Amino acid sequence: MKEQKPTTILRLPSVLQITGLSRSTIYAMMAEGIFPKPIKLGKRAVGWKDTDVAAWVDDRAQGVA
């Protein structure tokens, strides 16, 4: 049986670095429904699941917009 890797929560600086996008572009794409929504971590903190961001990057690399 394959062990499942625990999900890592990425904060915005990591998401920006991985995607190469700006903060405003990330939030605009979320509003359009074409970028994964973050999960709420606290009152003023959000993060993205690494698997969601990786899947989005993979889709973009395959030409799925």
Side-chain angles (χ1 to χ4, degrees), residues 32-59:
E32 294 173 21
I34 55 176
F35 193 81
K37 300 267 188 208
I39 57 173
K40 194 159 181 73
L41 302 174
K43 285 184 179 183
R44 296 180 55 173
V46 298
W48 287 260
K49 294 188 337 186
D50 62 339
T51 53
D52 291 347
V53 175
W56 182 86
V57 169
D58 289 344
D59 286 349

Side-chain angles (χ1 to χ4, degrees), residues 10-22:
L10 304 172
R11 298 299 303 271
L12 185 60
S14 297
V15 173
L16 298 178
Q17 183 177 16
I18 291 167
T19 63
L21 300 172
S22 69

